[in-house]
Amino acid sequence: MALSHARSGDLVNINDAVDALASNTSATLVRDEHIEIFRLVLSAGTDMQEHSAAGAMTVQCLRGEVDFSCHDRTQTLLPGALIYLNNAAPHALHCRQDATLLVTLFLNRK
């Protein structure tokens, strides 16, 4: 069954983190022409090698603890922390404790 994305005006519960962690389920919540919002669920010990996105982005920690590397430094994201990256900024991460992140991409699609 295909996952349906929220439409304009839909209410989205981003705090389904307990169920998401139990099933290790990441999900795209919103996908539109110039924005994508997804919940990223990571298990402790997970590493994401350096990569970049096709646009600016924010990453908000909802649960857990993640070391987030960008702009030649590493910062720890804890619940309530948010980081902004400009267009296509390279970044990497290491999940220290089971975590749920809310990622918002501002896409440069023509």
Side-chain angles (χ1 to χ4, degrees):
M1 180 169 119
L3 176 69
S4 61
H5 301 112
R7 296 174 305 216
S8 181
D10 284 353
L11 186 62
V12 177
N13 183 355
I14 62 170
N15 290 316
D16 289 336
V18 173
D19 292 336
L21 277 173
S23 63
N24 199 25
T25 303
S26 296
T28 300
L29 305 173
V30 175
R31 180 177 285 151
D32 207 344
E33 185 177 2
H34 294 290
I35 190 170
E36 188 168 311
I37 302 170
F38 59 95
R39 183 182 59 229
L40 181 61
V41 178
L42 302 167
S43 298
T46 300
D47 288 304
M48 292 182 76
Q49 299 301 316
E50 186 173 83
H51 61 284
S52 59
M57 66 188 293
T58 63
V59 178
Q60 179 181 0
C61 183
L62 301 176
R63 177 184 296 254
E65 188 173 336
V66 174
D67 288 336
F68 195 94
S69 301
C70 62
H71 300 291
D72 298 320
R73 64 181 171 172
T74 299
Q75 301 175 87
T76 301
L77 298 180
L78 298 170
L82 178 134
I83 192 164
Y84 163 76
L85 296 178
N86 58 3
N87 189 31
H91 57 281
L93 61 85
H94 170 73
C95 185
R96 300 171 117 206
Q97 184 183 84
D98 290 350
T100 304
L101 305 175
L102 184 67
V103 180
T104 302
L105 298 174
F106 303 93
L107 304 168
N108 292 327
R109 295 182 181 149
K110 303 283 180 185

